[in-house]
Amino acid sequence: MIPLQNIRNIGISAHIDSGKTTLTERILFYTGRIHKIEEVRGGGAGATMDFMELEQEKGITITSAATTCMWHDLQINLIDTPGHVDFTIEVERALRVLDGGVMVLCAVAGVQSQSITVDRQMKRYRVPRIAFINKMDRLGANPFRVVQALREKLGLNPFLLQHPIGSEDTFTGVIDLIEMNAHYFEGEKGEEHRIVPIPDYLQSEAQEARDQLLDRISIFSEPMMELLIDGKEVPKELIWDTIRQGTLNHQLTPVLIGSAYKNKGVQNLLDAIALYLPSPMDREVVQAFDVKTNETVEVYADPDTSLVAMAFKLTDEDTGQLTYTRIYSGTLKKGDTVYNTRTGKRLRIGRFVRMHANHRQEISEAPAGNIVALIGIDCNSGDTFCSEGVNLSLEGMFVPEPVVTLAVTPKHQDDMDRISKAIHRFTREDPTFRVKVDPESKQTLISGMGELHLEIYIERMKREYNAEVYVGAPAVAYRETISQPATFDYTLKKQTGGSGDFAHVIGRIEPCDEPFVFENRVVGGAIPKQFISACEKGCHDGTQSGLLIGYPVTGVKVILTGGDYHNVDSSDLAFRSAAKQGFLQGFRKAAPIILEPIMLVEVETPNEYVGRVQGDLSSRRGMLLGSQTMEGYSVIRAEVPLKEMFGYAKDLRSFTAGQASFSMEFASYRQVPPVQQTQLVGGGVR
C-alpha cells in the first residue's frame, strides 16, 4: 500500500498545442509505464493518452484521460486534459478532483488565451501548480519573457528554478539553481539523465540567477533570511521546504523549463512534482455539507474513516457505464455497498479498476487519495458516494453554458433510434452538450461550446452509432435579460364547477449580476409559507424562454412582496402558474434586451498580415484589445461577437496564405446593438 504522503494527483493543462500530451508521453516513458514513445502527429499508433480514433486523426486531445505511474517511491495519478476551449469541461472536472497541477506554456508564445482560462480554473478550485515552459528548442524561445507574462497577465508570483543551457536549436540542458549543477539528457530518448558541474562559461550567470532567486524566496522564510544576512550557505532542504510551503499556500509558482519533444527537462519536472505539489494529506481540507442538517463538514484524507467519494466523469462502455471517481476519505473495497446522497439509493460496487488511458487494471481496494473507475453503476457526474449512515454531499463543479447550436435531422428513418441513443449517451457524459426539440419546427437542436465541439459529436454519431444526419447552419445561443426594474400583479382565477384555481402574486423584478435570484418579502401571511417555493419555481419557469426571441432569461432578481390565496382553491400548481405569468408580465414591462456571447479571440499571424487581420476583426464588430509583436510575427487579441466568427478559420487562411492561426474562448454575454436586436426580434415582444 502506497503511503498517502507519497501520492500525487495531478493534471496537465495548457493552451492548445503547448505540448501537454507530448509531455505526458515522456512522463509515462521515464516512469517505465510505457516502453515506446509515440508522437501526437507521428503517423504511428498515436500518443498513449490520445486513444480515441478522432484524437489521433486530428492531432488534438478531445477527452481527458487518466493514468497511474511510479517515479521512485512516488505514485502519480495523472490526468491529461484537452487544450482546446471547446472541451473546457474536461479541464473543469479534472481540476475539481485533483490536488495539484502542471501548467504547460510554450517558450515562444508564452501566456495565451487558453492559458488564462486554465489559470482561472486552477484558481477557482484552489489548485497549487508548477509551471513548465516547454518548447525551449523552438526559434524565438525566451523563458524570461514567459515568466514576466506569468506575473503581468496572470498575477502569479513565478520563481524560475532553472537556468537554460543554450536556447532554440542550441538548447542542450538546464542548470538547477538550488543544487547548482548542470543537467543533460542523452541517449536516443533522453533517458540518460547526466548531472555534472556547471560549465565555466555559465558559472557567473548561474550564480547571479541563484542569488536573485534566494533573495526572493527568503521573503517566505525567516531562517533563510537570517542565513543570507550572515553570509552563510542555505541548505537545499530549507529551500525546497520553503518553495513547497509557498506553492501549497498559493503564494508562489515554481517554474521549470525544457523541451518534451526533444526529451529534455522532463525528469526534473517529475522531481519537482514530488518536491512541491501536495499529497492528498497536504491539500486544503475538503468541504462537504450534510444533506440532512445543511451543516458544513470537513473531510480529511483518512483511509480508516467513513467513505466519501465523488463521481466526476462518466463514459459508456461495452461493459456498462464507467464512472471515474475520486476517493476523499475511507477505503473502497470490492463488494462494498455505498450510498448516493443525491438519489438516496444504495449501490453495490462489484468491480472497479485503475485506468491507464483506455486500458484497465482490476483492483480490490482503493484507500483515500486514489482515483479509480467504477464499472456498471448508475449515477450522474458530480454525485457523492458515502458509507451507510453518512449523508455528506461534495460541492459540484462549474459547468459553463453552451454558446453554439446546430439543428440535426436524421437522413433516414432508421437513423432516428440510433441518434436518440447517441444523444442520450453524450448528454450523460458531457454536461456542456445540451439537447432540446424546437417546439415549432420539431427539429432536434444540439448545443455546445463551439463548432469543433459539435462537429466531434456529429462525427461520433456516424462512427460509433452508424447514424447519418443533415446538419443545419450554426446558430448563436443568445440570452434575454431586462434593462430596468418593473412590477407585476397577477391573479389566476379559474372556476370550472367544484373547486377551482386561485392564486394572486404581487412583486417586482430588477436586473442583477447573478443568473437568477428569488427573494421572499411577503409578510402577514398574505401568501402561506407552503406556497412560497411554488412561487419561486414558477418564476424560474418564466426564465426558461424569454418573450423577445424565445431564448433563456438571465440576470434577473425577483422580489415577491405580497398576494392573496383561497382556502379551498389555492394550491402549489396554482401559485406556480400565477408566479410564471406574473414574472412574464413584469418581464414585458422591464425593457427586455437580447444578450449575445462575446468571444476572446487571439490571432497569431506573420507581421505582414497584421493590418489585414485587424481590419477584418473590426469589420466583424470586433473590439481590438491590443497586440504583441515578436520575432517575425504578432499576436492580436480582440473581443468579437460569436455570430461574426462562424467560418472565420476559412477566411483567415484565405487572406493570410494559410500562415495565420487563431484560438477563441467565451468571454462574456453583452447587449446586442439596437440594429441587430431589431433584426432578431422582427415582430416585437411576444
Side-chain angles (χ1 to χ4, degrees):
M1 193 74 70
I2 304 290
L4 268 177
Q5 61 266 30
N6 286 4
I7 293 176
R8 299 290 183 273
N9 293 308
I10 65 163
I12 298 187
S13 308
H15 183 89
I16 191 169
D17 224 16
S18 295
K20 296 177 306 306
T21 303
T22 302
L23 174 62
T24 305
E25 191 79 358
R26 269 58 182 181
I27 287 174
L28 297 179
F29 179 72
Y30 297 131
T31 57
R33 195 69 177 82
I34 60 173
H35 303 290
K36 180 187 177 186
I37 293 175
E38 295 285 359
E39 302 301 347
V40 175
R41 296 182 179 90
T48 305
M49 303 298 270
D50 284 352
F51 55 84
M52 283 176 63
E53 189 181 330
L54 276 167
E55 290 179 315
Q56 293 169 9
E57 282 181 18
K58 292 181 177 291
I60 61 170
T61 302
I62 292 170
T63 181
S64 57
T67 190
T68 299
C69 54
M70 298 295 297
W71 181 243
H72 306 312
D73 59 350
L74 192 78
Q75 176 181 311
I76 300 175
N77 300 321
L78 185 151
I79 297 182
D80 175 33
T81 62
H84 200 288
V85 68
D86 283 19
F87 310 107
T88 192
I89 188 63
E90 295 288 337
V91 187
E92 203 71 52
R93 54 183 162 199
L95 291 177
R96 169 62 185 83
V97 299
L98 294 172
D99 302 326
V102 176
M103 185 180 194
V104 184
L105 302 134
C106 173
V108 182
V111 174
Q112 297 167 275
S113 59
Q114 189 66 4
S115 314
I116 297 170
T117 302
V118 167
D119 171 68
R120 189 165 59 241
Q121 291 168 322
M122 286 182 167
K123 287 172 179 171
R124 178 183 294 130
Y125 299 111
R126 293 191 58 76
V127 175
R129 96 280 296 266
I130 292 171
F132 181 71
I133 301 175
N134 193 24
K135 302 192 177 185
M136 281 293 298
D137 58 300
R138 276 190 57 191
L139 184 67
N142 186 335
F144 309 107
R145 186 176 62 214
V146 180
V147 169
Q148 187 178 345
L150 285 169
R151 187 176 296 112
E152 293 174 356
K153 291 185 178 181
L154 302 184
L156 299 176
N157 190 13
F159 284 68
L160 189 57
L161 306 185
Q162 298 171 328
H163 192 76
I165 302 174
S167 66
E168 301 177 347
D169 58 346
T170 62
F171 176 67
T172 53
V174 297
I175 294 171
D176 182 335
L177 297 177
I178 297 173
E179 297 196 73
M180 287 301 278
N181 46 34
H183 294 243
Y184 295 94
F185 308 89
E186 297 169 351
E188 187 185 350
K189 296 293 181 183
E191 65 274 20
E192 295 173 20
H193 181 193
R194 192 163 59 91
I195 304 173
V196 297
I198 298 169
D200 292 341
Y201 74 96
L202 285 173
Q203 276 284 355
S204 61
E205 216 175 287
Q207 189 61 52
E208 185 182 346
R210 175 186 165 84
D211 292 343
Q212 290 177 1
L213 176 67
L214 295 188
D215 185 52
R216 290 185 61 215
I217 293 175
S218 65
I219 296 170
F220 304 99
S221 168
E222 283 189 23
M224 189 187 297
M225 191 174 286
E226 288 172 8
L227 288 171
L228 288 173
I229 290 171
D230 294 341
K232 295 179 180 176
E233 184 62 30
V234 181
K236 62 186 180 183
E237 290 79 11
L238 178 58
I239 302 172
W240 287 336
D241 185 61
T242 304
I243 295 172
R244 177 178 177 77
Q245 294 309 316
T247 304
L248 299 187
N249 296 330
H250 307 275
Q251 294 174 312
L252 60 84
T253 302
V255 182
L256 288 89
I257 57 178
S259 168
Y261 184 66
K262 296 291 185 180
N263 312 307
K264 299 186 191 308
V266 179
Q267 293 95 324
N268 298 127
L269 176 63
L270 285 163
D271 289 337
I273 288 168
L275 282 169
Y276 308 129
L277 290 183
S279 73
M281 298 171 68
D282 302 319
R283 64 165 292 152
E284 291 184 350
V285 178
V286 177
Q287 303 284 338
F289 72 92
D290 191 304
V291 294
K292 290 192 173 178
T293 65
N294 258 353
E295 291 178 358
T296 301
V297 179
E298 293 186 337
V299 178
Y300 294 92
D302 181 354
D304 299 320
T305 189
S306 300
L307 179 78
V308 179
M310 182 183 187
F312 67 93
K313 175 178 172 167
L314 314 177
T315 60
D316 273 345
E317 307 283 339
D318 294 339
T319 52
Q321 181 173 292
L322 199 62
T323 305
Y324 288 76
T325 304
R326 163 71 195 260
I327 302 169
Y328 284 98
S329 72
T331 299
L332 182 69
K333 296 180 180 177
K334 191 174 180 179
D336 279 356
T337 298
V338 299
Y339 176 70
N340 184 330
T341 51
R342 180 185 64 85
T343 63
K345 292 181 179 177
R346 292 172 180 81
L347 300 167
R348 187 177 181 278
I349 308 300
R351 295 169 59 206
F352 58 96
V353 295
R354 183 170 282 130
M355 297 299 296
H356 174 52
N358 59 335
H359 302 291
R360 307 172 184 180
Q361 174 195 349
E362 288 232 16
I363 52 177
S364 57
E365 70 174 56
N370 276 278
I371 294 173
V372 297
L374 314 180
I375 296 175
I377 66 163
D378 185 32
C379 68
N380 286 353
S381 183
D383 283 359
T384 303
F385 305 132
C386 297
S387 299
E388 193 75 33
V390 179
N391 299 296
L392 298 182
S393 179
L394 294 160
E395 184 185 347
M397 65 200 80
F398 172 77
V399 179
E401 288 296 310
V403 293
V404 176
T405 299
L406 293 176
V408 292
T409 309
K411 284 189 176 180
H412 310 100
Q413 193 67 27
D414 296 347
D415 291 320
M416 288 188 69
D417 284 344
R418 291 193 284 267
I419 292 169
S420 179
K421 286 178 184 175
I423 283 175
H424 177 71
R425 172 186 171 186
F426 299 155
T427 50
R428 282 178 63 83
E429 290 183 359
D430 184 352
T432 61
F433 179 77
R434 312 277 176 86
V435 181
K436 69 176 183 178
V437 177
D438 187 294
E440 294 176 8
S441 67
K442 305 300 181 189
Q443 281 184 307
T444 300
L445 304 177
I446 59 172
S447 301
M449 300 305 297
E451 290 181 89
L452 178 62
H453 188 209
L454 297 180
E455 179 190 315
I456 292 294
Y457 278 119
I458 289 165
E459 186 64 27
R460 286 184 65 187
M461 281 183 202
K462 183 178 176 180
R463 295 189 185 199
E464 296 172 28
Y465 289 88
N466 197 27
E468 299 277 356
V469 295
Y470 293 110
V471 181
V476 176
Y478 292 102
R479 293 289 181 269
E480 299 183 27
T481 191
I482 56 175
S483 57
Q484 64 185 41
T487 59
F488 60 85
D489 185 338
Y490 185 84
T491 302
L492 174 72
K493 193 172 184 180
K494 291 181 182 176
Q495 198 69 41
T496 55
S499 62
D501 291 313
F502 180 86
H504 179 203
V505 291
I506 302 171
R508 68 178 187 271
I509 65 174
E510 55 189 45
C512 77
D513 294 330
E514 298 294 316
F516 173 74
V517 176
F518 178 85
E519 189 176 318
N520 173 30
R521 291 191 192 170
V522 176
V523 293
I527 299 176
K529 284 185 178 178
Q530 66 263 32
F531 296 136
I532 297 299
S533 64
C535 292
E536 181 176 356
K537 288 174 184 172
C539 292
H540 193 268
D541 291 343
T543 67
Q544 301 307 299
S545 179
L547 298 175
L548 294 174
I549 52 175
Y551 281 88
V553 175
T554 188
V556 178
K557 181 178 183 178
V558 181
I559 302 168
L560 188 66
T561 58
D564 198 5
Y565 72 103
H566 187 278
N567 283 328
V568 177
D569 293 349
S570 291
S571 63
D572 275 355
L573 195 61
F575 270 100
R576 183 167 181 169
S577 179
K580 177 180 179 180
Q581 294 306 317
F583 175 87
L584 295 174
Q585 183 190 82
F587 184 80
R588 209 175 263 110
K589 297 191 292 184
I593 56 174
I594 299 172
L595 303 175
E596 64 179 340
I598 304 295
M599 310 304 285
L600 176 62
V601 179
E602 197 170 87
V603 184
E604 189 176 305
T605 177
N607 289 334
E608 62 200 270
Y609 299 113
V610 166
R612 205 174 295 180
V613 170
Q614 289 177 332
D616 181 71
L617 290 172
S618 297
S619 73
R620 296 171 186 267
R621 294 194 284 130
M623 180 172 70
L624 298 174
L625 303 177
S627 61
Q628 184 180 3
T629 303
M630 301 181 198
E631 296 176 20
Y633 73 96
S634 293
V635 177
I636 300 162
R637 298 176 78 239
E639 288 185 342
V640 190
L642 175 63
K643 181 179 185 295
E644 309 296 337
M645 290 301 295
F646 293 135
Y648 182 65
K650 182 180 177 183
D651 294 344
L652 182 66
R653 278 197 301 268
S654 175
F655 63 72
T656 62
Q659 296 181 59
S661 62
F662 83 102
S663 64
M664 69 176 183
E665 63 169 310
F666 173 73
S668 64
Y669 271 97
R670 217 166 284 165
Q671 183 177 351
V672 169
V675 174
Q676 273 80 17
Q677 175 154 326
T678 303
Q679 292 171 351
L680 286 168
V681 173
V685 181
R686 293 184 287 178

